[in-house]
Amino acid sequence: MRREELLDAAEDLLCDQGSQALTLAAVAERAGCSKGGLLYHFGTKEALIKGMVERLIEDFDELIARQGHDTYTKNYLAATFAAVRSGRLRRWAVVTGASGNLYLLAPLREAMARWHREGLDSEPDPAAARIVRLACEGLWDVASHDPELYDDARYAELKRRLLDLLPA
């Protein structure tokens, strides 16, 4: 449980003050623990950032798995819209922004490759599935820069149109 609290504190600090403020001392203070307590879980700032990236990936994998549609692409699409509309984008933007190191982003690159390959062989139309998955990436990117761009009706229309690209 303490590990999760430390990751929450680090994400909150990033959201509130930006990556320059992300120090081990500041995270420990935000979490209400000693720096030694933080170092027990995360020996370096890089380990802390990597932990945040890995948690974001795990959270999104779980969100995909909970969707219950008949294809991976439909689950991926539904999870993307759920994440965008829930405000999870802010976490993704600040964490990936703080981890400008290629080593720290390696888990995200691996997850992205997996998300874009997963289940393609079993999709009725693999090309349409790729297009929808790429559209999801575009939505993440645009919504992370302008979260107010789409209202509920526009999101619903966009989701419906993307689902229409996929064979039933």
Side-chain angles (χ1 to χ4, degrees), residues 2 6 8-9 18 21 31 56 60 69 89 100 122 128 151:
R2 193 65 179 153
L6 292 167
D8 289 342
L56 290 173
F60 192 63
H69 294 283
L89 274 182
S122 61
D151 58 19

Side-chain angles (χ1 to χ4, degrees), residues 77-126:
L77 175 65
T80 297
F81 276 87
V84 167
R85 296 180 76 204
S86 72
R88 291 176 193 234
L89 274 182
R90 185 172 185 218
R91 288 177 55 203
W92 277 88
V94 296
V95 170
T96 57
S99 57
N101 175 322
L102 289 178
Y103 166 75
L104 298 176
L105 287 175
L108 183 57
R109 286 194 322 273
E110 291 166 10
M112 190 67 65
R114 179 174 43 83
W115 293 329
H116 283 270
R117 287 184 178 102
E118 184 84 25
L120 279 176
D121 293 341
S122 61
E123 293 282 349
D125 184 345

Side-chain angles (χ1 to χ4, degrees), residues 18-33:
S19 60
Q20 304 86 335
L22 185 69
T23 65
L24 293 177
V27 172
E29 182 180 329
R30 172 79 58 120
C33 75

